[in-house]
Amino acid sequence: MGRSPCCSKEGLNRGAWTALEDKILTSYIKVHGEGKWRNLPKRAGLKRCGKSCRLRWLNYLRPDIKRGNISHDEEELIIRLHKLLGNRWSLIAGRLPGRTDNEIKNYWNTTLGKKAKAQPLSSQSKSNKLKKQAIDSDTAEPSDSTADKVQVIRTRATRCTKALVPLTHSQLVLPTDDHDQIYNRNSTSTDPLQPQVVQQNYLVDHPHNQDSNNSNLGYGDEEAQENMHGAFYSADFLNLSCCNEFEGSNFDEKMESATAAAGYINSNISIDQDQSQLQNLNETTTMDCWTTACLEDNATINFESLAFLLDPEEWP
DNA sequence: AATAATTTCAACCGCGTTATT
DNA sequence: CAATAACGCGGTTGAAATTAT
């Protein structure tokens, strides 16, 4: 009853790939495209299992791949992302064009992990250190005083095959004191609580471009509100970004930074999970839905804890 | 120069999740 | 609904390269 092996191991090559194998694989994929890995070796005439072919292509043969010479900026970014995400190498790699999860993982294990441990806060600006101190005091765990205690946000790695259109700005109601209403002024859906599921290439207006006077934040601090707006919108936004539809979109720098920062929160969550959460919701707010869907177990989201990532200076 | 120890990184492996039948 | 296929992820391994003795 167990899971069947991905391919028969008998008579297959293992270990390092030869130049000829690389050539065969590359030309096959150039003609037929990626995917169908299980059948690929047979069709291409390779004595490798599909998994091995996939790995070779993704980590080595893809034309857009950068290899070696990881820049200082990239290092900084990896360290920050690792603080935020932990060992979610594919998510981290997703923000470093041309880098693979395997390369980043290796680089971390051999180089950056040690560096990060040795100089945990060395590169942070004073203001961000202050922000971070405030954050740490808010989210402090009763642990040792090392810099490793920054809360890691873990999402579920799932395949994204369709996108849930985020509510537009005027449809959003951030948490209110009584948690009693969700309005949806511009909705085309008959039921304001029903998510609108569309195909991947469906474009929606980004809330950034819309009027911003309708939110009802329960937060006094203006900066926190602003950061939260950015983070929240961007978190929605990145749901689509994870489907590769928004890469390279033309937003201003700050918004991109916010997008990048907040996107990590849920860039890889299952849209269907969201959908079911939304369908089941009763008196919870939209925000509750997103955060519930985004986080596992007992983790709680604190958008302000991402504020330091919203500073454009902090992102290359 | 020889050998041991350490580092690097490509590749493998097992497992979780979604898609398909 | 269950079983299976397919995909993708993160942890681990081990050969090759490099450095230390």
Side-chain angles (χ1 to χ4, degrees), chain A residues 85-93 153-157 268 296:
Chain A
L85 295 163
N87 299 352
R88 308 304 303 268
W89 306 116
S90 67
L91 283 180
I92 294 172
I153 297 169
R154 291 186 68 85
T155 62
R156 293 184 190 199
N268 216 11
E296 286 181 355

Side-chain angles (χ1 to χ4, degrees), chain A residues 183-232:
Chain A
Y183 43 95
N184 191 7
R185 295 187 317 171
N186 299 334
S187 175
T188 53
S189 166
T190 52
D191 181 349
L193 300 185
Q194 292 301 311
Q196 298 168 42
V197 178
V198 296
Q199 298 304 311
Q200 283 185 25
N201 55 359
Y202 188 95
L203 295 175
V204 296
D205 289 335
H206 192 276
H208 180 242
N209 298 328
Q210 303 188 13
D211 113 88
S212 59
N213 297 322
N214 292 319
S215 63
N216 187 9
L217 285 165
Y219 298 85
D221 178 76
E222 269 188 19
E223 189 188 3
Q225 276 194 22
E226 191 184 327
N227 287 336
M228 188 161 165
H229 268 108
F232 184 59

Side-chain angles (χ1 to χ4, degrees), chain A residues 11 33 55-56 83 106 113-114 133 149 159 166 194 223 229 246 255 265 267 275 277 289 291 311:
Chain A
L55 206 67
R56 184 65 180 170
K83 276 195 173 185
N106 283 333
K114 297 166 197 167
Q133 280 170 8
K149 65 184 177 188
R159 212 175 300 169
Q194 292 301 311
E223 189 188 3
H229 268 108
F246 283 83
M255 203 56 210
I265 299 163
S267 63
Q275 191 178 356
Q277 299 251 10
C289 295
T291 55
D311 184 343

Side-chain angles (χ1 to χ4, degrees), chain A residues 7-237:
Chain A
C7 50
S8 162
K9 307 281 181 191
E10 288 167 22
L12 295 183
N13 293 342
R14 292 172 56 88
W17 279 64
T18 65
L20 179 61
E21 286 177 315
D22 282 348
K23 199 176 173 187
I24 292 172
L25 180 59
T26 306
S27 23
Y28 181 88
I29 290 177
K30 272 182 185 167
V31 175
H32 298 94
E34 295 181 41
K36 311 271 182 190
W37 298 108
R38 187 187 173 89
N39 298 327
L40 184 150
K42 208 173 184 180
R43 294 183 182 180
L46 283 164
K47 289 184 174 178
R48 293 273 179 177
C49 79
K51 223 172 181 178
S52 181
C53 294
R54 175 182 165 271
L55 206 67
R56 184 65 180 170
W57 173 253
L58 293 178
N59 286 340
Y60 201 87
L61 297 175
R62 267 189 310 169
D64 55 336
I65 244 166
K66 274 190 226 166
R67 299 188 60 76
N69 299 326
I70 291 181
S71 69
H72 181 69
D73 284 350
E74 284 177 311
E75 280 192 6
E76 293 267 309
L77 188 55
I78 292 168
I79 291 171
R80 278 208 190 91
L81 290 173
H82 188 269
K83 276 195 173 185
L84 187 65
L85 295 163
N87 299 352
R88 308 304 303 268
W89 306 116
S90 67
L91 283 180
I92 294 172
R95 304 311 304 176
L96 288 144
R99 302 294 182 187
T100 68
D101 53 355
N102 210 32
E103 184 178 20
I104 290 169
K105 178 172 61 181
N106 283 333
Y107 193 64
W108 178 269
N109 288 335
T110 58
T111 311
L112 281 187
K114 297 166 197 167
K115 265 194 198 178
K117 225 173 185 176
Q119 21 175 255
L121 283 174
S122 64
S123 63
Q124 292 196 8
S125 67
K126 193 182 171 186
S127 64
N128 284 311
K129 278 184 188 172
L130 290 173
K131 281 182 192 174
K132 190 178 177 306
Q133 280 170 8
I135 291 156
D136 284 347
S137 67
D138 284 342
T139 60
E141 295 169 30
S143 61
D144 60 72
S145 60
T146 65
D148 296 337
K149 65 184 177 188
V150 175
Q151 185 177 4
V152 170
I153 297 169
R154 291 186 68 85
T155 62
R156 293 184 190 199
T158 56
R159 212 175 300 169
C160 181
T161 57
K162 54 190 174 185
L164 174 69
V165 177
L167 297 174
T168 61
H169 183 270
S170 57
Q171 295 163 346
L172 279 176
V173 178
L174 297 174
T176 62
D177 286 338
D178 50 7
H179 278 224
D180 65 353
Q181 52 182 333
I182 290 179
Y183 43 95
N184 191 7
R185 295 187 317 171
N186 299 334
S187 175
T188 53
S189 166
T190 52
D191 181 349
L193 300 185
Q194 292 301 311
Q196 298 168 42
V197 178
V198 296
Q199 298 304 311
Q200 283 185 25
N201 55 359
Y202 188 95
L203 295 175
V204 296
D205 289 335
H206 192 276
H208 180 242
N209 298 328
Q210 303 188 13
D211 113 88
S212 59
N213 297 322
N214 292 319
S215 63
N216 187 9
L217 285 165
Y219 298 85
D221 178 76
E222 269 188 19
E223 189 188 3
Q225 276 194 22
E226 191 184 327
N227 287 336
M228 188 161 165
H229 268 108
F232 184 59
Y233 295 150
S234 304
D236 290 347
F237 186 50

